[in-house]
Amino acid sequence: MDSAGAAETGGYQPWSEVTPDAARRLLVAAVETFAARGYHATTTRDIAARAGMSPAALYIHYKTKEELLHRISRIGHDKALEILETAADGPGTPAERLDEAVRSFVLWHAAHHTTARVVQYELDALAPEHRSEIVALRRQSDAAVRRILADGVRSGEFDVPDVPGTTLAVLSLCIDVARWFNVGGQRTPDEVGALYADLVLRMVAAKP
Protein backbone atom coordinates (compact mmCIF):
# COMPACT_ATOMS: atom_id res chain seq x y z
CA MET A 1 0.00 0.00 0.00
CA ASP A 2 3.05 2.24 0.26
CA SER A 3 2.82 4.19 -2.96
CA ALA A 4 2.26 7.89 -3.49
CA GLY A 5 -0.55 7.00 -5.87
CA ALA A 6 -2.05 3.98 -4.12
CA ALA A 7 -5.74 3.81 -3.27
CA GLU A 8 -6.50 4.80 0.30
CA THR A 9 -8.80 3.04 2.72
CA GLY A 10 -12.13 4.81 2.90
CA GLY A 11 -12.39 5.25 -0.86
CA TYR A 12 -10.20 8.34 -1.17
CA GLN A 13 -7.97 8.28 -4.23
CA PRO A 14 -4.73 10.16 -3.51
CA TRP A 15 -4.08 13.10 -5.81
CA SER A 16 -7.48 12.81 -7.52
CA GLU A 17 -7.61 16.59 -7.01
CA VAL A 18 -4.74 17.01 -9.46
CA THR A 19 -5.51 17.26 -13.16
CA PRO A 20 -4.65 16.64 -15.96
CA ASP A 21 -3.04 13.21 -15.78
CA ALA A 22 0.42 14.55 -16.67
CA ALA A 23 0.33 16.96 -13.74
CA ARG A 24 -0.70 14.10 -11.44
CA ARG A 25 2.10 11.87 -12.70
CA LEU A 26 4.64 14.61 -12.06
CA LEU A 27 3.29 15.21 -8.57
CA VAL A 28 3.45 11.50 -7.69
CA ALA A 29 6.99 11.37 -9.06
CA ALA A 30 7.91 14.39 -6.94
CA VAL A 31 6.53 12.75 -3.79
CA GLU A 32 8.52 9.59 -4.40
CA THR A 33 11.72 11.45 -5.26
CA PHE A 34 11.49 13.91 -2.37
CA ALA A 35 10.89 11.01 0.03
CA ALA A 36 13.86 9.05 -1.34
CA ARG A 37 16.39 11.85 -1.73
CA GLY A 38 15.07 14.84 0.18
CA TYR A 39 13.72 18.04 -1.32
CA HIS A 40 17.02 19.89 -1.62
CA ALA A 41 18.86 16.95 -3.23
CA THR A 42 16.13 16.47 -5.84
CA THR A 43 16.23 18.28 -9.17
CA THR A 44 13.40 18.95 -11.58
CA ARG A 45 15.22 16.64 -14.00
CA ASP A 46 15.02 13.85 -11.40
CA ILE A 47 11.27 14.36 -11.06
CA ALA A 48 10.65 14.45 -14.81
CA ALA A 49 12.75 11.31 -15.34
CA ARG A 50 10.83 9.42 -12.65
CA ALA A 51 7.55 10.44 -14.32
CA GLY A 52 8.87 9.29 -17.71
CA MET A 53 8.62 12.80 -19.10
CA SER A 54 10.98 15.47 -20.38
CA PRO A 55 12.16 18.30 -18.08
CA ALA A 56 10.41 20.75 -20.40
CA ALA A 57 7.11 18.98 -19.80
CA LEU A 58 7.36 19.63 -16.08
CA TYR A 59 7.37 23.39 -16.55
CA ILE A 60 4.11 23.26 -18.47
CA HIS A 61 2.37 22.25 -15.23
CA TYR A 62 4.64 23.59 -12.46
CA LYS A 63 6.76 26.72 -12.64
CA THR A 64 9.21 25.60 -9.95
CA LYS A 65 10.15 22.64 -7.80
CA GLU A 66 8.86 24.59 -4.79
CA GLU A 67 5.45 24.93 -6.44
CA LEU A 68 5.29 21.14 -6.62
CA LEU A 69 6.18 20.82 -2.94
CA HIS A 70 3.57 23.42 -2.02
CA ARG A 71 0.86 21.55 -3.93
CA ILE A 72 1.83 18.28 -2.25
CA SER A 73 1.92 19.91 1.18
CA ARG A 74 -1.38 21.72 0.73
CA ILE A 75 -3.27 18.60 -0.38
CA GLY A 76 -1.74 16.52 2.41
CA HIS A 77 -2.50 19.07 5.11
CA ASP A 78 -6.05 19.55 3.83
CA LYS A 79 -6.53 15.78 4.14
CA ALA A 80 -5.06 15.74 7.66
CA LEU A 81 -7.35 18.57 8.73
CA GLU A 82 -10.38 16.81 7.22
CA ILE A 83 -9.59 13.63 9.18
CA LEU A 84 -9.20 15.45 12.50
CA GLU A 85 -12.15 17.84 12.13
CA THR A 86 -14.46 15.02 11.04
CA ALA A 87 -13.60 13.16 14.24
CA ALA A 88 -13.75 16.27 16.43
CA ASP A 89 -17.17 17.29 15.11
CA GLY A 90 -18.56 13.77 14.92
CA PRO A 91 -20.93 11.96 17.29
CA GLY A 92 -19.96 10.19 20.48
CA THR A 93 -18.23 10.94 23.74
CA PRO A 94 -14.89 12.76 23.86
CA ALA A 95 -13.16 9.39 24.35
CA GLU A 96 -14.88 7.94 21.27
CA ARG A 97 -14.05 11.02 19.20
CA LEU A 98 -10.40 10.99 20.34
CA ASP A 99 -10.19 7.28 19.50
CA GLU A 100 -11.51 8.00 16.00
CA ALA A 101 -9.21 11.00 15.50
CA VAL A 102 -6.05 9.14 16.48
CA ARG A 103 -7.00 5.88 14.77
CA SER A 104 -7.79 7.61 11.45
CA PHE A 105 -4.86 10.04 11.59
CA VAL A 106 -2.35 7.27 12.30
CA LEU A 107 -3.89 5.01 9.67
CA TRP A 108 -3.38 7.69 7.03
CA HIS A 109 0.23 8.30 8.07
CA ALA A 110 1.01 4.58 8.02
CA ALA A 111 -0.84 3.68 4.82
CA HIS A 112 0.70 6.65 3.01
CA HIS A 113 3.97 7.03 4.86
CA THR A 114 5.93 8.06 1.75
CA THR A 115 3.55 10.93 1.08
CA ALA A 116 3.22 11.77 4.76
CA ARG A 117 6.99 12.07 5.23
CA VAL A 118 7.14 14.72 2.53
CA VAL A 119 4.01 16.50 3.78
CA GLN A 120 5.13 16.58 7.42
CA TYR A 121 8.92 16.90 7.23
CA GLU A 122 9.68 19.23 4.31
CA LEU A 123 7.87 22.24 5.72
CA ASP A 124 11.03 24.35 6.02
CA ALA A 125 11.71 24.01 2.28
CA LEU A 126 8.57 25.99 1.41
CA ALA A 127 8.70 29.65 0.45
CA PRO A 128 7.76 31.96 3.36
CA GLU A 129 4.25 32.72 2.08
CA HIS A 130 3.52 29.05 1.44
CA ARG A 131 4.98 28.02 4.78
CA SER A 132 2.68 30.52 6.52
CA GLU A 133 -0.31 29.03 4.70
CA ILE A 134 0.59 25.49 5.79
CA VAL A 135 1.33 26.55 9.37
CA ALA A 136 -2.19 28.01 9.52
CA LEU A 137 -3.63 24.61 8.48
CA ARG A 138 -1.51 22.89 11.12
CA ARG A 139 -2.93 25.25 13.73
CA GLN A 140 -6.44 24.25 12.67
CA SER A 141 -5.51 20.58 13.08
CA ASP A 142 -4.11 21.40 16.52
CA ALA A 143 -7.37 23.17 17.39
CA ALA A 144 -9.45 20.12 16.40
CA VAL A 145 -7.54 17.81 18.76
CA ARG A 146 -7.46 20.44 21.47
CA ARG A 147 -11.25 20.75 21.22
CA ILE A 148 -11.71 17.02 21.85
CA LEU A 149 -9.36 17.07 24.83
CA ALA A 150 -11.04 20.14 26.32
CA ASP A 151 -14.45 18.50 25.94
CA GLY A 152 -13.15 15.43 27.74
CA VAL A 153 -11.76 17.50 30.59
CA ARG A 154 -15.09 19.31 30.99
CA SER A 155 -17.04 16.05 31.00
CA GLY A 156 -14.66 14.44 33.49
CA GLU A 157 -13.59 11.69 31.08
CA PHE A 158 -10.04 13.00 30.74
CA ASP A 159 -7.48 14.03 33.33
CA VAL A 160 -5.34 16.46 31.34
CA PRO A 161 -3.74 19.31 33.31
CA ASP A 162 -2.07 20.77 30.20
CA VAL A 163 -4.38 20.59 27.16
CA PRO A 164 -2.10 22.50 24.72
CA GLY A 165 0.94 20.43 25.67
CA THR A 166 -0.97 17.17 25.47
CA THR A 167 -2.35 18.18 22.07
CA LEU A 168 1.19 18.65 20.80
CA ALA A 169 2.23 15.29 22.24
CA VAL A 170 -0.70 13.47 20.61
CA LEU A 171 -0.11 15.00 17.18
CA SER A 172 3.65 14.41 17.36
CA LEU A 173 3.09 10.77 18.28
CA CYS A 174 0.74 10.26 15.34
CA ILE A 175 2.87 12.09 12.77
CA ASP A 176 6.02 10.19 13.72
CA VAL A 177 4.44 6.99 12.36
CA ALA A 178 5.27 8.24 8.85
CA ARG A 179 8.96 8.24 9.73
CA TRP A 180 9.26 4.64 10.89
CA PHE A 181 6.38 2.67 9.37
CA ASN A 182 7.48 -0.22 7.17
CA VAL A 183 5.06 -2.19 5.01
CA GLY A 184 7.20 -5.26 5.65
CA GLY A 185 6.74 -4.91 9.41
CA GLN A 186 4.59 -7.00 11.70
CA ARG A 187 1.67 -4.56 11.98
CA THR A 188 -0.75 -3.30 9.35
CA PRO A 189 -1.76 0.39 9.19
CA ASP A 190 -5.09 -0.52 10.82
CA GLU A 191 -3.31 -2.32 13.66
CA VAL A 192 -0.97 0.61 14.26
CA GLY A 193 -3.97 2.95 14.30
CA ALA A 194 -5.72 0.82 16.91
CA LEU A 195 -2.55 0.58 19.02
CA TYR A 196 -1.96 4.33 19.01
CA ALA A 197 -5.61 5.10 19.78
CA ASP A 198 -5.37 2.86 22.85
CA LEU A 199 -2.07 4.45 23.92
CA VAL A 200 -3.46 7.99 23.64
CA LEU A 201 -6.61 7.14 25.58
CA ARG A 202 -4.41 5.70 28.34
CA MET A 203 -2.25 8.83 28.22
CA VAL A 204 -5.19 11.14 28.86
CA ALA A 205 -6.52 8.81 31.57
CA ALA A 206 -9.86 8.19 29.88
CA LYS A 207 -12.18 6.55 32.36
CA PRO A 208 -14.19 3.40 31.43
Side-chain angles (χ1 to χ4, degrees), residues 1-6 8 15 31-32 34-36 105-121 174-185 187-189:
M1 201 167 182
D2 176 30
S3 170
E8 181 174 345
W15 318 121
V31 170
E32 293 171 347
F34 292 158
F105 199 49
V106 168
L107 171 60
W108 188 84
H109 280 80
H112 300 283
H113 55 95
T114 300
T115 297
R117 281 201 305 274
V118 176
V119 168
Q120 299 291 1
Y121 295 113
C174 296
I175 288 168
D176 192 57
V177 169
R179 182 184 57 78
W180 63 259
F181 186 80
N182 183 347
V183 291
R187 289 189 172 93
T188 66

Side-chain angles (χ1 to χ4, degrees), residues 91-110:
T93 65
E96 290 168 339
R97 287 154 51 210
L98 184 60
D99 178 279
E100 176 62 23
V102 173
R103 189 182 298 263
S104 300
F105 199 49
V106 168
L107 171 60
W108 188 84
H109 280 80

Side-chain angles (χ1 to χ4, degrees), residues 6-180:
E8 181 174 345
T9 53
Y12 171 70
Q13 295 294 321
W15 318 121
S16 59
E17 307 90 337
V18 182
T19 56
D21 180 66
R24 186 184 305 111
R25 284 168 53 200
L26 286 163
L27 188 141
V28 169
V31 170
E32 293 171 347
T33 311
F34 292 158
R37 305 184 61 176
Y39 174 82
H40 292 293
T42 297
T43 67
T44 53
R45 187 174 293 274
D46 294 330
I47 296 168
R50 193 168 192 121
M53 300 167 69
S54 70
L58 186 148
Y59 295 109
I60 295 173
H61 302 284
Y62 303 99
K63 295 177 182 177
T64 64
K65 182 176 72 167
E66 193 274 341
E67 182 180 333
L68 257 171
L69 178 63
H70 172 240
R71 189 79 192 276
I72 293 163
S73 189
R74 178 62 199 241
I75 292 172
H77 279 88
D78 280 342
K79 181 61 180 176
L81 180 59
E82 177 190 336
I83 289 169
L84 294 172
E85 287 194 330
T86 296
D89 298 333
T93 65
E96 290 168 339
R97 287 154 51 210
L98 184 60
D99 178 279
E100 176 62 23
V102 173
R103 189 182 298 263
S104 300
F105 199 49
V106 168
L107 171 60
W108 188 84
H109 280 80
H112 300 283
H113 55 95
T114 300
T115 297
R117 281 201 305 274
V118 176
V119 168
Q120 299 291 1
Y121 295 113
E122 293 287 4
L123 184 63
D124 289 341
L126 291 169
E129 66 275 15
H130 290 156
R131 188 177 189 280
S132 295
E133 174 189 317
I134 299 305
V135 166
L137 290 173
R138 290 168 81 99
R139 286 178 180 148
Q140 291 180 61
S141 291
D142 181 284
V145 175
R146 189 180 301 196
R147 189 159 70 250
I148 300 173
L149 292 177
D151 287 348
V153 170
R154 280 192 295 269
S155 71
E157 288 183 73
F158 299 161
D159 181 12
V160 180
D162 183 348
V163 170
T166 303
T167 299
L168 178 60
V170 169
L171 287 171
S172 297
L173 189 70
C174 296
I175 288 168
D176 192 57
V177 169
R179 182 184 57 78
W180 63 259

